[in-house]
Amino acid sequence: QVQLVENGGGSVQTGGELIITCTAVSTTNDICMGWFRQAPGKEREKVATIYTGTRSEYYGESVAGRFKISQGNVKNMVYLQMSGLKPGDTGTYYCAAEMIPYSRRSSCSGSPVLFASKGQGTQVTVSS
């Protein structure tokens, strides 16, 4: 498993922006990293994933066009820039990672809910 360190989150009003970060501190290999979120009473939902070897990005339907996942200059540190936030984006955002070899990198398009490594989560609250 990969050790993940999460930062960021907080509270904003509708239309605001937030950035959260996640760093895989225990590996420098190319991996798939991303976030899923969960709100009370709702199913866990994919937010976004990125394959660090190619920087290929994948998004959940509800955030596409508003959120941006990117890789920082530090190996295996990724950012999630959340813009145009809505109350429906409120929830706990969990960073997750999976060791995926380059030959299977397309599987990074899947849901991070099932990834082997997960962070403790960070709260994002959007008020109307």
Side-chain angles (χ1 to χ4, degrees):
Q1 290 194 349
V2 178
Q3 183 181 358
L4 302 171
V5 177
E6 303 175 80
N7 283 290
S11 299
V12 293
Q13 293 187 328
T14 297
E17 295 189 355
L18 282 173
I19 295 175
I20 56 179
T21 66
C22 181
T23 304
V25 298
S26 56
T27 182
T28 57
N29 292 335
D30 293 332
I31 60 174
C32 180
M33 296 179 66
W35 282 268
F36 65 92
R37 66 187 183 187
Q38 186 163 27
K42 294 187 177 181
E43 297 287 326
R44 289 176 293 181
E45 176 188 21
K46 174 178 179 174
V47 177
T49 51
I50 186 169
Y51 188 70
T52 62
T54 60
R55 304 190 181 218
S56 298
E57 304 163 25
Y58 307 94
Y59 296 91
E61 290 185 4
S62 62
V63 306
R66 297 188 297 123
F67 290 13
K68 171 72 173 177
I69 189 169
S70 61
Q71 185 175 343
N73 291 328
V74 175
K75 181 72 172 181
N76 291 349
M77 179 178 183
V78 296
Y79 298 81
L80 183 68
Q81 181 175 1
M82 301 178 285
S83 303
L85 284 161
K86 309 172 183 178
D89 295 316
T90 294
T92 302
Y93 284 65
Y94 296 90
C95 180
E98 186 78 19
M99 302 287 286
I100 295 177
Y102 183 80
S103 60
R104 295 197 295 111
R105 63 194 183 278
S106 63
S107 64
C108 190
S109 62
S111 173
V113 173
L114 301 178
F115 286 0
S117 302
K118 298 180 178 66
Q120 294 190 344
T122 186
Q123 181 66 32
V124 171
T125 302
V126 185
S127 58
S128 57

